Amino acid sequence: MSGAATRFRAYCPECRSTVELRPDAFRLSLGRTSERTYYSFTCPSCEAPVRKRAGERIVEALTGAGVPALRLHVVR
C-alpha cells in the first residue's frame, strides 16, 4: 500500500464534516491497552483537533500506510 496515494475518510464531530486525509495528517498513540490507543488529526474544514480511540483495524491501516506510532509508557 503506497502512503502517497492512500487517503482515509475521517469524521469531525466539531463541524460534522467527513474529510479525506493523507496518512501524514494523522498522529497515532499506542497505549498499554486498546482503551488507551488513539489517533488524532486536525480537521481541515474547521481546524478543530480531533482525537478518537483506535481499534486494531485502524492501527493496522494507519501503520500500513506509513503513519508512525508513538508508544506511550506509564512513568512511575
Side-chain angles (χ1 to χ4, degrees), residues 4-71:
T6 302
R7 301 264 188 217
F8 293 99
R9 290 179 55 165
Y11 174 75
C12 174
E14 186 69 29
C15 69
R16 298 182 176 172
S17 293
T18 298
V19 295
E20 285 195 9
L21 300 168
R22 295 186 343 218
D24 62 358
F26 290 92
R27 291 167 299 284
L28 180 60
S29 302
L30 302 177
R32 291 184 72 179
T33 65
S34 61
E35 291 80 23
R36 295 179 185 224
T37 298
Y38 296 90
Y39 69 95
S40 58
F41 61 93
T42 300
C43 177
S45 296
C46 70
E47 298 185 1
V50 178
R51 181 180 181 222
K52 296 183 179 187
R53 281 184 41 193
E56 188 175 319
R57 288 178 46 204
I58 292 174
V59 171
E60 287 178 16
L62 291 175
T63 57
V67 175
L70 172 66
R71 290 209 177 268

